Amino acid sequence: MTRADSLAREIFAGVANKWALLLINVLGDRTLRFTELRGAIEGISHKMLTQTLRGLERDGLVDRTVHPVVPPRVEYRLTEAGGALRDTVNGMCAWTRRYLDEIESARERFDAGR
């Protein structure tokens, strides 16, 4: 196994969860503050939002900017890599919509044969 394969697995594990994908989608082309992100994603806890943002920032998918004001203002935006991942995820969603009927039919045939 190469270092690239190992790194790819690490990155996929970090972004292949519902919170990371939702955050990437919500950020889109916008810059948002923590409270705006939390309000936009129903059901995410403060702790999970913090952990997910840190992971995305660590992988270079989200950029965190702290403005030197009192109280501090922190904003998040997708990096170029994060935007490219968002495009990829949107492509996967489009694929799902396009083939949804075929997928459901295949599942029904498979399940009926069991």
Side-chain angles (χ1 to χ4, degrees), residues 14-15 17-24 34 41 44-59 61-62 76:
V15 299
N17 69 67
K18 69 179 180 179
W19 299 123
L21 294 175
L22 284 170
L23 273 168
I24 289 167
F34 186 92
I41 301 175
I44 193 166
S45 68
H46 183 96
K47 179 181 176 183
M48 186 54 64
L49 179 56
T50 299
Q51 288 176 348
T52 305
L53 284 168
R54 285 182 182 160
L56 293 173
E57 183 182 5
R58 180 176 184 260
D59 289 338
L61 303 173
V62 168
Y76 299 88

Side-chain angles (χ1 to χ4, degrees), residues 45-104:
S45 68
H46 183 96
K47 179 181 176 183
M48 186 54 64
L49 179 56
T50 299
Q51 288 176 348
T52 305
L53 284 168
R54 285 182 182 160
L56 293 173
E57 183 182 5
R58 180 176 184 260
D59 289 338
L61 303 173
V62 168
D63 185 41
R64 178 178 181 263
T65 303
V66 180
H67 297 277
V69 295
V70 178
R73 190 176 86 228
V74 182
E75 296 177 330
Y76 299 88
R77 68 171 183 81
L78 291 180
T79 62
E80 182 180 339
L85 178 59
R86 182 174 180 259
D87 292 342
T88 300
V89 170
N90 286 343
M92 291 171 61
C93 291
W95 173 86
T96 303
R97 286 189 298 276
R98 180 175 178 186
Y99 292 103
L100 181 62
D101 291 339
E102 291 179 44
I103 294 167
E104 287 179 333

Side-chain angles (χ1 to χ4, degrees), residues 18-40:
K18 69 179 180 179
W19 299 123
L21 294 175
L22 284 170
L23 273 168
I24 289 167
N25 189 52
V26 165
L27 279 168
D29 296 325
R30 305 181 292 171
T31 298
L32 296 173
R33 296 177 70 178
F34 186 92
T35 53
E36 293 171 318
L37 285 168
R38 188 160 181 212

Side-chain angles (χ1 to χ4, degrees), residues 5-18:
D5 292 336
S6 178
L7 182 58
R9 275 194 267 276
E10 284 179 38
I11 293 169
F12 293 152
V15 299
N17 69 67
K18 69 179 180 179

